[in-house]
PDB file of all heavy atoms in Angstrom:
ATOM      1  N   ASN A   1      17.883  65.773  25.794  1.00 98.00           N
ATOM      2  CA  ASN A   1      18.841  64.988  25.023  1.00 98.00           C
ATOM      3  C   ASN A   1      19.261  65.718  23.755  1.00 98.00           C
ATOM      4  O   ASN A   1      20.409  65.595  23.308  1.00 98.00           O
ATOM      5  CB  ASN A   1      18.249  63.618  24.692  1.00 98.00           C
ATOM      6  CG  ASN A   1      18.141  62.733  25.912  1.00 98.00           C
ATOM      7  OD1 ASN A   1      18.971  62.794  26.812  1.00 98.00           O
ATOM      8  ND2 ASN A   1      17.104  61.900  25.958  1.00 98.00           N
ATOM      9  N   GLN A   2      18.354  66.470  23.169  1.00 98.00           N
ATOM     10  CA  GLN A   2      18.704  67.285  22.005  1.00 98.00           C
ATOM     11  C   GLN A   2      19.658  68.415  22.404  1.00 98.00           C
ATOM     12  O   GLN A   2      20.569  68.770  21.654  1.00 98.00           O
ATOM     13  CB  GLN A   2      17.438  67.871  21.371  1.00 98.00           C
ATOM     14  CG  GLN A   2      16.505  66.829  20.778  1.00 98.00           C
ATOM     15  CD  GLN A   2      17.102  66.125  19.562  1.00 98.00           C
ATOM     16  OE1 GLN A   2      17.982  66.662  18.877  1.00 98.00           O
ATOM     17  NE2 GLN A   2      16.628  64.923  19.292  1.00 98.00           N
ATOM     18  N   LEU A   3      19.459  68.956  23.598  1.00 98.00           N
ATOM     19  CA  LEU A   3      20.336  70.032  24.061  1.00 98.00           C
ATOM     20  C   LEU A   3      21.755  69.524  24.312  1.00 98.00           C
ATOM     21  O   LEU A   3      22.723  70.260  24.129  1.00 98.00           O
ATOM     22  CB  LEU A   3      19.756  70.676  25.320  1.00 98.00           C
ATOM     23  CG  LEU A   3      18.382  71.321  25.146  1.00 98.00           C
ATOM     24  CD1 LEU A   3      17.966  72.035  26.420  1.00 98.00           C
ATOM     25  CD2 LEU A   3      18.374  72.295  23.979  1.00 98.00           C
ATOM     26  N   LEU A   4      21.865  68.276  24.738  1.00 97.00           N
ATOM     27  CA  LEU A   4      23.199  67.671  24.868  1.00 97.00           C
ATOM     28  C   LEU A   4      23.926  67.665  23.532  1.00 97.00           C
ATOM     29  O   LEU A   4      25.122  67.975  23.462  1.00 97.00           O
ATOM     30  CB  LEU A   4      23.078  66.232  25.359  1.00 97.00           C
ATOM     31  CG  LEU A   4      23.001  65.949  26.844  1.00 97.00           C
ATOM     32  CD1 LEU A   4      22.913  64.449  27.065  1.00 97.00           C
ATOM     33  CD2 LEU A   4      24.198  66.513  27.587  1.00 97.00           C
ATOM     34  N   ILE A   5      23.205  67.294  22.485  1.00 98.00           N
ATOM     35  CA  ILE A   5      23.811  67.248  21.151  1.00 98.00           C
ATOM     36  C   ILE A   5      24.306  68.628  20.740  1.00 98.00           C
ATOM     37  O   ILE A   5      25.421  68.779  20.221  1.00 98.00           O
ATOM     38  CB  ILE A   5      22.798  66.691  20.132  1.00 98.00           C
ATOM     39  CG1 ILE A   5      22.495  65.222  20.452  1.00 98.00           C
ATOM     40  CG2 ILE A   5      23.330  66.839  18.701  1.00 98.00           C
ATOM     41  CD1 ILE A   5      21.362  64.636  19.634  1.00 98.00           C
ATOM     42  N   ALA A   6      23.485  69.656  20.984  1.00 98.00           N
ATOM     43  CA  ALA A   6      23.898  71.022  20.656  1.00 98.00           C
ATOM     44  C   ALA A   6      25.114  71.425  21.481  1.00 98.00           C
ATOM     45  O   ALA A   6      26.063  72.024  20.952  1.00 98.00           O
ATOM     46  CB  ALA A   6      22.747  71.988  20.901  1.00 98.00           C
ATOM     47  N   LEU A   7      25.104  71.104  22.759  1.00 97.00           N
ATOM     48  CA  LEU A   7      26.220  71.444  23.642  1.00 97.00           C
ATOM     49  C   LEU A   7      27.519  70.823  23.148  1.00 97.00           C
ATOM     50  O   LEU A   7      28.576  71.469  23.136  1.00 97.00           O
ATOM     51  CB  LEU A   7      25.901  70.951  25.061  1.00 97.00           C
ATOM     52  CG  LEU A   7      26.794  71.437  26.197  1.00 97.00           C
ATOM     53  CD1 LEU A   7      26.633  72.943  26.404  1.00 97.00           C
ATOM     54  CD2 LEU A   7      26.455  70.685  27.481  1.00 97.00           C
ATOM     55  N   ILE A   8      27.450  69.578  22.714  1.00 98.00           N
ATOM     56  CA  ILE A   8      28.638  68.885  22.206  1.00 98.00           C
ATOM     57  C   ILE A   8      29.097  69.507  20.892  1.00 98.00           C
ATOM     58  O   ILE A   8      30.298  69.684  20.657  1.00 98.00           O
ATOM     59  CB  ILE A   8      28.339  67.384  22.045  1.00 98.00           C
ATOM     60  CG1 ILE A   8      28.119  66.746  23.430  1.00 98.00           C
ATOM     61  CG2 ILE A   8      29.468  66.671  21.310  1.00 98.00           C
ATOM     62  CD1 ILE A   8      27.473  65.374  23.380  1.00 98.00           C
ATOM     63  N   CYS A   9      28.156  69.855  20.034  1.00 97.00           N
ATOM     64  CA  CYS A   9      28.518  70.495  18.758  1.00 97.00           C
ATOM     65  C   CYS A   9      29.257  71.806  18.987  1.00 97.00           C
ATOM     66  O   CYS A   9      30.263  72.091  18.306  1.00 97.00           O
ATOM     67  CB  CYS A   9      27.267  70.755  17.927  1.00 97.00           C
ATOM     68  SG  CYS A   9      26.541  69.281  17.168  1.00 97.00           S
ATOM     69  N   TYR A  10      28.801  72.611  19.932  1.00 96.00           N
ATOM     70  CA  TYR A  10      29.482  73.874  20.226  1.00 96.00           C
ATOM     71  C   TYR A  10      30.894  73.608  20.751  1.00 96.00           C
ATOM     72  O   TYR A  10      31.827  74.354  20.447  1.00 96.00           O
ATOM     73  CB  TYR A  10      28.684  74.684  21.238  1.00 96.00           C
ATOM     74  CG  TYR A  10      27.372  75.205  20.712  1.00 96.00           C
ATOM     75  CD1 TYR A  10      26.217  75.157  21.496  1.00 96.00           C
ATOM     76  CD2 TYR A  10      27.271  75.750  19.432  1.00 96.00           C
ATOM     77  CE1 TYR A  10      25.006  75.637  21.018  1.00 96.00           C
ATOM     78  CE2 TYR A  10      26.068  76.220  18.950  1.00 96.00           C
ATOM     79  CZ  TYR A  10      24.931  76.168  19.744  1.00 96.00           C
ATOM     80  OH  TYR A  10      23.734  76.642  19.262  1.00 96.00           O
ATOM     81  N   GLY A  11      31.046  72.553  21.536  1.00 96.00           N
ATOM     82  CA  GLY A  11      32.375  72.183  22.010  1.00 96.00           C
ATOM     83  C   GLY A  11      33.296  71.786  20.872  1.00 96.00           C
ATOM     84  O   GLY A  11      34.476  72.136  20.863  1.00 96.00           O
ATOM     85  N   ARG A  12      32.764  71.068  19.899  1.00 96.00           N
ATOM     86  CA  ARG A  12      33.562  70.675  18.724  1.00 96.00           C
ATOM     87  C   ARG A  12      34.035  71.918  17.962  1.00 96.00           C
ATOM     88  O   ARG A  12      35.173  71.980  17.493  1.00 96.00           O
ATOM     89  CB  ARG A  12      32.712  69.828  17.783  1.00 96.00           C
ATOM     90  CG  ARG A  12      32.189  68.536  18.359  1.00 96.00           C
ATOM     91  CD  ARG A  12      33.203  67.443  18.401  1.00 96.00           C
ATOM     92  NE  ARG A  12      32.566  66.146  18.579  1.00 96.00           N
ATOM     93  CZ  ARG A  12      33.214  65.036  18.862  1.00 96.00           C
ATOM     94  NH1 ARG A  12      34.531  65.044  19.010  1.00 96.00           N
ATOM     95  NH2 ARG A  12      32.576  63.899  19.003  1.00 96.00           N
ATOM     96  N   MET A  13      33.156  72.897  17.852  1.00 94.00           N
ATOM     97  CA  MET A  13      33.499  74.100  17.085  1.00 94.00           C
ATOM     98  C   MET A  13      34.605  74.903  17.747  1.00 94.00           C
ATOM     99  O   MET A  13      35.353  75.604  17.066  1.00 94.00           O
ATOM    100  CB  MET A  13      32.258  74.971  16.895  1.00 94.00           C
ATOM    101  CG  MET A  13      31.317  74.446  15.834  1.00 94.00           C
ATOM    102  SD  MET A  13      30.001  75.636  15.404  1.00 94.00           S
ATOM    103  CE  MET A  13      28.934  75.480  16.829  1.00 94.00           C
ATOM    104  N   GLU A  14      34.721  74.811  19.065  1.00 92.00           N
ATOM    105  CA  GLU A  14      35.770  75.548  19.771  1.00 92.00           C
ATOM    106  C   GLU A  14      37.167  75.156  19.296  1.00 92.00           C
ATOM    107  O   GLU A  14      38.092  75.955  19.348  1.00 92.00           O
ATOM    108  CB  GLU A  14      35.669  75.303  21.274  1.00 92.00           C
ATOM    109  CG  GLU A  14      34.618  76.124  21.979  1.00 92.00           C
ATOM    110  CD  GLU A  14      34.734  76.018  23.487  1.00 92.00           C
ATOM    111  OE1 GLU A  14      35.586  75.227  23.964  1.00 92.00           O
ATOM    112  OE2 GLU A  14      33.988  76.719  24.186  1.00 92.00           O
ATOM    113  N   ILE A  15      37.318  73.923  18.850  1.00 93.00           N
ATOM    114  CA  ILE A  15      38.646  73.423  18.474  1.00 93.00           C
ATOM    115  C   ILE A  15      39.161  74.123  17.222  1.00 93.00           C
ATOM    116  O   ILE A  15      40.326  74.512  17.155  1.00 93.00           O
ATOM    117  CB  ILE A  15      38.593  71.894  18.278  1.00 93.00           C
ATOM    118  CG1 ILE A  15      38.267  71.222  19.623  1.00 93.00           C
ATOM    119  CG2 ILE A  15      39.917  71.363  17.719  1.00 93.00           C
ATOM    120  CD1 ILE A  15      38.030  69.730  19.535  1.00 93.00           C
ATOM    121  N   ASN A  16      38.286  74.294  16.241  1.00 91.00           N
ATOM    122  CA  ASN A  16      38.689  74.973  15.008  1.00 91.00           C
ATOM    123  C   ASN A  16      37.443  75.615  14.384  1.00 91.00           C
ATOM    124  O   ASN A  16      36.852  75.054  13.458  1.00 91.00           O
ATOM    125  CB  ASN A  16      39.335  73.973  14.035  1.00 91.00           C
ATOM    126  CG  ASN A  16      40.065  74.678  12.905  1.00 91.00           C
ATOM    127  OD1 ASN A  16      39.672  75.752  12.482  1.00 91.00           O
ATOM    128  ND2 ASN A  16      41.124  74.067  12.408  1.00 91.00           N
ATOM    129  N   PRO A  17      37.031  76.772  14.888  1.00 89.00           N
ATOM    130  CA  PRO A  17      35.774  77.379  14.448  1.00 89.00           C
ATOM    131  C   PRO A  17      35.674  77.602  12.947  1.00 89.00           C
ATOM    132  O   PRO A  17      34.623  77.355  12.351  1.00 89.00           O
ATOM    133  CB  PRO A  17      35.753  78.714  15.201  1.00 89.00           C
ATOM    134  CG  PRO A  17      36.642  78.516  16.369  1.00 89.00           C
ATOM    135  CD  PRO A  17      37.706  77.571  15.920  1.00 89.00           C
ATOM    136  N   MET A  18      36.743  78.046  12.330  1.00 88.00           N
ATOM    137  CA  MET A  18      36.698  78.378  10.912  1.00 88.00           C
ATOM    138  C   MET A  18      36.341  77.167  10.058  1.00 88.00           C
ATOM    139  O   MET A  18      35.552  77.257   9.106  1.00 88.00           O
ATOM    140  CB  MET A  18      38.039  78.963  10.459  1.00 88.00           C
ATOM    141  CG  MET A  18      38.060  79.412   9.005  1.00 88.00           C
ATOM    142  SD  MET A  18      39.611  80.238   8.559  1.00 88.00           S
ATOM    143  CE  MET A  18      39.525  81.695   9.605  1.00 88.00           C
ATOM    144  N   PHE A  19      36.905  76.005  10.392  1.00 92.00           N
ATOM    145  CA  PHE A  19      36.686  74.818   9.578  1.00 92.00           C
ATOM    146  C   PHE A  19      35.535  73.953  10.081  1.00 92.00           C
ATOM    147  O   PHE A  19      34.920  73.232   9.296  1.00 92.00           O
ATOM    148  CB  PHE A  19      37.972  73.975   9.522  1.00 92.00           C
ATOM    149  CG  PHE A  19      39.071  74.619   8.730  1.00 92.00           C
ATOM    150  CD1 PHE A  19      40.095  75.298   9.367  1.00 92.00           C
ATOM    151  CD2 PHE A  19      39.078  74.576   7.347  1.00 92.00           C
ATOM    152  CE1 PHE A  19      41.111  75.920   8.640  1.00 92.00           C
ATOM    153  CE2 PHE A  19      40.083  75.191   6.606  1.00 92.00           C
ATOM    154  CZ  PHE A  19      41.097  75.860   7.257  1.00 92.00           C
ATOM    155  N   ARG A  20      35.234  74.032  11.366  1.00 94.00           N
ATOM    156  CA  ARG A  20      34.221  73.136  11.922  1.00 94.00           C
ATOM    157  C   ARG A  20      32.824  73.744  11.965  1.00 94.00           C
ATOM    158  O   ARG A  20      31.844  73.009  12.090  1.00 94.00           O
ATOM    159  CB  ARG A  20      34.633  72.685  13.322  1.00 94.00           C
ATOM    160  CG  ARG A  20      35.840  71.760  13.309  1.00 94.00           C
ATOM    161  CD  ARG A  20      36.032  71.100  14.653  1.00 94.00           C
ATOM    162  NE  ARG A  20      37.023  70.038  14.591  1.00 94.00           N
ATOM    163  CZ  ARG A  20      37.210  69.146  15.543  1.00 94.00           C
ATOM    164  NH1 ARG A  20      36.487  69.188  16.646  1.00 94.00           N
ATOM    165  NH2 ARG A  20      38.121  68.197  15.408  1.00 94.00           N
ATOM    166  N   ALA A  21      32.732  75.035  11.883  1.00 91.00           N
ATOM    167  CA  ALA A  21      31.420  75.686  12.007  1.00 91.00           C
ATOM    168  C   ALA A  21      30.445  75.211  10.931  1.00 91.00           C
ATOM    169  O   ALA A  21      29.252  75.041  11.201  1.00 91.00           O
ATOM    170  CB  ALA A  21      31.574  77.195  11.954  1.00 91.00           C
ATOM    171  N   THR A  22      30.934  75.012   9.709  1.00 92.00           N
ATOM    172  CA  THR A  22      30.046  74.607   8.615  1.00 92.00           C
ATOM    173  C   THR A  22      29.436  73.229   8.859  1.00 92.00           C
ATOM    174  O   THR A  22      28.353  72.932   8.351  1.00 92.00           O
ATOM    175  CB  THR A  22      30.792  74.602   7.275  1.00 92.00           C
ATOM    176  OG1 THR A  22      31.973  73.769   7.387  1.00 92.00           O
ATOM    177  CG2 THR A  22      31.215  76.003   6.876  1.00 92.00           C
ATOM    178  N   THR A  23      30.118  72.402   9.654  1.00 95.00           N
ATOM    179  CA  THR A  23      29.602  71.069   9.967  1.00 95.00           C
ATOM    180  C   THR A  23      28.744  71.077  11.218  1.00 95.00           C
ATOM    181  O   THR A  23      27.613  70.567  11.236  1.00 95.00           O
ATOM    182  CB  THR A  23      30.762  70.070  10.154  1.00 95.00           C
ATOM    183  OG1 THR A  23      31.494  69.973   8.936  1.00 95.00           O
ATOM    184  CG2 THR A  23      30.239  68.699  10.549  1.00 95.00           C
ATOM    185  N   TYR A  24      29.264  71.691  12.273  1.00 96.00           N
ATOM    186  CA  TYR A  24      28.633  71.530  13.580  1.00 96.00           C
ATOM    187  C   TYR A  24      27.587  72.595  13.913  1.00 96.00           C
ATOM    188  O   TYR A  24      26.689  72.341  14.718  1.00 96.00           O
ATOM    189  CB  TYR A  24      29.704  71.472  14.671  1.00 96.00           C
ATOM    190  CG  TYR A  24      30.481  70.181  14.622  1.00 96.00           C
ATOM    191  CD1 TYR A  24      31.796  70.150  14.161  1.00 96.00           C
ATOM    192  CD2 TYR A  24      29.891  68.981  15.013  1.00 96.00           C
ATOM    193  CE1 TYR A  24      32.506  68.963  14.097  1.00 96.00           C
ATOM    194  CE2 TYR A  24      30.591  67.795  14.950  1.00 96.00           C
ATOM    195  CZ  TYR A  24      31.896  67.789  14.493  1.00 96.00           C
ATOM    196  OH  TYR A  24      32.582  66.603  14.427  1.00 96.00           O
ATOM    197  N   PHE A  25      27.689  73.767  13.307  1.00 94.00           N
ATOM    198  CA  PHE A  25      26.685  74.787  13.587  1.00 94.00           C
ATOM    199  C   PHE A  25      25.308  74.371  13.087  1.00 94.00           C
ATOM    200  O   PHE A  25      24.321  74.489  13.832  1.00 94.00           O
ATOM    201  CB  PHE A  25      27.104  76.134  12.996  1.00 94.00           C
ATOM    202  CG  PHE A  25      26.311  77.292  13.526  1.00 94.00           C
ATOM    203  CD1 PHE A  25      26.529  77.778  14.806  1.00 94.00           C
ATOM    204  CD2 PHE A  25      25.330  77.891  12.756  1.00 94.00           C
ATOM    205  CE1 PHE A  25      25.782  78.841  15.305  1.00 94.00           C
ATOM    206  CE2 PHE A  25      24.584  78.946  13.240  1.00 94.00           C
ATOM    207  CZ  PHE A  25      24.812  79.420  14.530  1.00 94.00           C
ATOM    208  N   PRO A  26      25.187  73.856  11.857  1.00 95.00           N
ATOM    209  CA  PRO A  26      23.869  73.370  11.416  1.00 95.00           C
ATOM    210  C   PRO A  26      23.350  72.216  12.277  1.00 95.00           C
ATOM    211  O   PRO A  26      22.139  72.124  12.527  1.00 95.00           O
ATOM    212  CB  PRO A  26      24.119  72.910   9.979  1.00 95.00           C
ATOM    213  CG  PRO A  26      25.308  73.684   9.528  1.00 95.00           C
ATOM    214  CD  PRO A  26      26.171  73.816  10.749  1.00 95.00           C
ATOM    215  N   LYS A  27      24.247  71.340  12.734  1.00 97.00           N
ATOM    216  CA  LYS A  27      23.822  70.232  13.595  1.00 97.00           C
ATOM    217  C   LYS A  27      23.291  70.751  14.928  1.00 97.00           C
ATOM    218  O   LYS A  27      22.284  70.255  15.444  1.00 97.00           O
ATOM    219  CB  LYS A  27      24.989  69.269  13.829  1.00 97.00           C
ATOM    220  CG  LYS A  27      25.367  68.424  12.624  1.00 97.00           C
ATOM    221  CD  LYS A  27      26.472  67.434  12.977  1.00 97.00           C
ATOM    222  CE  LYS A  27      26.816  66.550  11.799  1.00 97.00           C
ATOM    223  NZ  LYS A  27      27.883  65.567  12.140  1.00 97.00           N
ATOM    224  N   ALA A  28      23.978  71.748  15.477  1.00 97.00           N
ATOM    225  CA  ALA A  28      23.525  72.338  16.736  1.00 97.00           C
ATOM    226  C   ALA A  28      22.167  73.005  16.548  1.00 97.00           C
ATOM    227  O   ALA A  28      21.254  72.840  17.381  1.00 97.00           O
ATOM    228  CB  ALA A  28      24.553  73.351  17.235  1.00 97.00           C
ATOM    229  N   ASN A  29      22.005  73.761  15.462  1.00 96.00           N
ATOM    230  CA  ASN A  29      20.723  74.427  15.199  1.00 96.00           C
ATOM    231  C   ASN A  29      19.588  73.424  15.029  1.00 96.00           C
ATOM    232  O   ASN A  29      18.473  73.639  15.523  1.00 96.00           O
ATOM    233  CB  ASN A  29      20.828  75.298  13.945  1.00 96.00           C
ATOM    234  CG  ASN A  29      21.499  76.626  14.220  1.00 96.00           C
ATOM    235  OD1 ASN A  29      21.642  77.034  15.368  1.00 96.00           O
ATOM    236  ND2 ASN A  29      21.914  77.310  13.170  1.00 96.00           N
ATOM    237  N   ALA A  30      19.880  72.330  14.331  1.00 98.00           N
ATOM    238  CA  ALA A  30      18.861  71.300  14.118  1.00 98.00           C
ATOM    239  C   ALA A  30      18.442  70.677  15.451  1.00 98.00           C
ATOM    240  O   ALA A  30      17.252  70.405  15.675  1.00 98.00           O
ATOM    241  CB  ALA A  30      19.390  70.232  13.171  1.00 98.00           C
ATOM    242  N   ALA A  31      19.414  70.467  16.337  1.00 98.00           N
ATOM    243  CA  ALA A  31      19.109  69.903  17.650  1.00 98.00           C
ATOM    244  C   ALA A  31      18.251  70.870  18.470  1.00 98.00           C
ATOM    245  O   ALA A  31      17.299  70.458  19.150  1.00 98.00           O
ATOM    246  CB  ALA A  31      20.398  69.563  18.384  1.00 98.00           C
ATOM    247  N   LEU A  32      18.563  72.167  18.415  1.00 98.00           N
ATOM    248  CA  LEU A  32      17.771  73.161  19.139  1.00 98.00           C
ATOM    249  C   LEU A  32      16.345  73.235  18.592  1.00 98.00           C
ATOM    250  O   LEU A  32      15.382  73.354  19.368  1.00 98.00           O
ATOM    251  CB  LEU A  32      18.433  74.533  19.057  1.00 98.00           C
ATOM    252  CG  LEU A  32      19.774  74.701  19.787  1.00 98.00           C
ATOM    253  CD1 LEU A  32      20.286  76.134  19.624  1.00 98.00           C
ATOM    254  CD2 LEU A  32      19.639  74.361  21.265  1.00 98.00           C
ATOM    255  N   GLU A  33      16.204  73.158  17.286  1.00 98.00           N
ATOM    256  CA  GLU A  33      14.868  73.197  16.686  1.00 98.00           C
ATOM    257  C   GLU A  33      14.053  71.970  17.085  1.00 98.00           C
ATOM    258  O   GLU A  33      12.855  72.065  17.353  1.00 98.00           O
ATOM    259  CB  GLU A  33      14.965  73.306  15.163  1.00 98.00           C
ATOM    260  CG  GLU A  33      15.478  74.650  14.673  1.00 98.00           C
ATOM    261  CD  GLU A  33      14.628  75.810  15.170  1.00 98.00           C
ATOM    262  OE1 GLU A  33      13.380  75.717  15.104  1.00 98.00           O
ATOM    263  OE2 GLU A  33      15.209  76.806  15.655  1.00 98.00           O
ATOM    264  N   LYS A  34      14.710  70.814  17.133  1.00 98.00           N
ATOM    265  CA  LYS A  34      14.020  69.598  17.555  1.00 98.00           C
ATOM    266  C   LYS A  34      13.605  69.708  19.028  1.00 98.00           C
ATOM    267  O   LYS A  34      12.501  69.295  19.410  1.00 98.00           O
ATOM    268  CB  LYS A  34      14.932  68.392  17.348  1.00 98.00           C
ATOM    269  CG  LYS A  34      14.301  67.063  17.752  1.00 98.00           C
ATOM    270  CD  LYS A  34      13.042  66.766  16.938  1.00 98.00           C
ATOM    271  CE  LYS A  34      12.449  65.429  17.291  1.00 98.00           C
ATOM    272  NZ  LYS A  34      11.197  65.138  16.525  1.00 98.00           N
ATOM    273  N   ALA A  35      14.484  70.288  19.845  1.00 98.00           N
ATOM    274  CA  ALA A  35      14.153  70.492  21.261  1.00 98.00           C
ATOM    275  C   ALA A  35      12.934  71.400  21.406  1.00 98.00           C
ATOM    276  O   ALA A  35      12.082  71.167  22.265  1.00 98.00           O
ATOM    277  CB  ALA A  35      15.356  71.082  22.001  1.00 98.00           C
ATOM    278  N   LYS A  36      12.832  72.427  20.554  1.00 98.00           N
ATOM    279  CA  LYS A  36      11.673  73.323  20.591  1.00 98.00           C
ATOM    280  C   LYS A  36      10.386  72.574  20.249  1.00 98.00           C
ATOM    281  O   LYS A  36       9.329  72.834  20.828  1.00 98.00           O
ATOM    282  CB  LYS A  36      11.864  74.487  19.619  1.00 98.00           C
ATOM    283  CG  LYS A  36      12.873  75.524  20.066  1.00 98.00           C
ATOM    284  CD  LYS A  36      12.996  76.621  19.026  1.00 98.00           C
ATOM    285  CE  LYS A  36      14.096  77.611  19.394  1.00 98.00           C
ATOM    286  NZ  LYS A  36      14.261  78.677  18.378  1.00 98.00           N
ATOM    287  N   GLU A  37      10.480  71.650  19.311  1.00 98.00           N
ATOM    288  CA  GLU A  37       9.307  70.848  18.961  1.00 98.00           C
ATOM    289  C   GLU A  37       8.853  69.998  20.138  1.00 98.00           C
ATOM    290  O   GLU A  37       7.654  69.829  20.383  1.00 98.00           O
ATOM    291  CB  GLU A  37       9.630  69.933  17.771  1.00 98.00           C
ATOM    292  CG  GLU A  37       9.858  70.644  16.454  1.00 98.00           C
ATOM    293  CD  GLU A  37      10.246  69.669  15.351  1.00 98.00           C
ATOM    294  OE1 GLU A  37      10.030  68.441  15.538  1.00 98.00           O
ATOM    295  OE2 GLU A  37      10.774  70.111  14.321  1.00 98.00           O
ATOM    296  N   LEU A  38       9.828  69.463  20.867  1.00 98.00           N
ATOM    297  CA  LEU A  38       9.519  68.559  21.978  1.00 98.00           C
ATOM    298  C   LEU A  38       9.053  69.308  23.220  1.00 98.00           C
ATOM    299  O   LEU A  38       8.155  68.858  23.927  1.00 98.00           O
ATOM    300  CB  LEU A  38      10.756  67.717  22.317  1.00 98.00           C
ATOM    301  CG  LEU A  38      11.221  66.738  21.241  1.00 98.00           C
ATOM    302  CD1 LEU A  38      12.583  66.153  21.606  1.00 98.00           C
ATOM    303  CD2 LEU A  38      10.199  65.619  21.053  1.00 98.00           C
ATOM    304  N   ASN A  39       9.660  70.466  23.479  1.00 97.00           N
ATOM    305  CA  ASN A  39       9.322  71.227  24.687  1.00 97.00           C
ATOM    306  C   ASN A  39       9.705  72.689  24.499  1.00 97.00           C
ATOM    307  O   ASN A  39      10.783  73.111  24.911  1.00 97.00           O
ATOM    308  CB  ASN A  39      10.035  70.650  25.907  1.00 97.00           C
ATOM    309  CG  ASN A  39       9.619  71.336  27.201  1.00 97.00           C
ATOM    310  OD1 ASN A  39       8.734  72.188  27.216  1.00 97.00           O
ATOM    311  ND2 ASN A  39      10.267  70.969  28.298  1.00 97.00           N
ATOM    312  N   PRO A  40       8.841  73.472  23.880  1.00 97.00           N
ATOM    313  CA  PRO A  40       9.185  74.878  23.581  1.00 97.00           C
ATOM    314  C   PRO A  40       9.393  75.734  24.822  1.00 97.00           C
ATOM    315  O   PRO A  40       9.947  76.824  24.731  1.00 97.00           O
ATOM    316  CB  PRO A  40       7.998  75.376  22.763  1.00 97.00           C
ATOM    317  CG  PRO A  40       6.873  74.456  23.112  1.00 97.00           C
ATOM    318  CD  PRO A  40       7.506  73.118  23.371  1.00 97.00           C
TER     319      PRO A  40
END
């Protein structure tokens, strides 16, 4: 479920990477880190 969140965040960034990366890249990273905690 955390990986879904990251996948969606990367999709959001595709629309306008320059402006959206600052919002969605940290969210994607946080989701990946949480996924590692749950199942490395």
Side-chain angles (χ1 to χ4, degrees):
N1 289 326
Q2 295 293 336
L3 299 185
L4 274 181
I5 294 172
L7 192 66
I8 293 165
C9 286
Y10 292 138
R12 299 281 197 191
M13 283 190 285
E14 280 190 355
I15 295 173
N16 194 328
M18 183 175 295
F19 290 99
R20 291 192 170 193
T22 55
T23 298
Y24 289 107
F25 194 75
K27 288 184 178 181
N29 280 345
L32 293 181
E33 290 303 315
K34 180 61 178 179
K36 287 179 185 179
E37 292 177 16
L38 295 170
N39 185 5

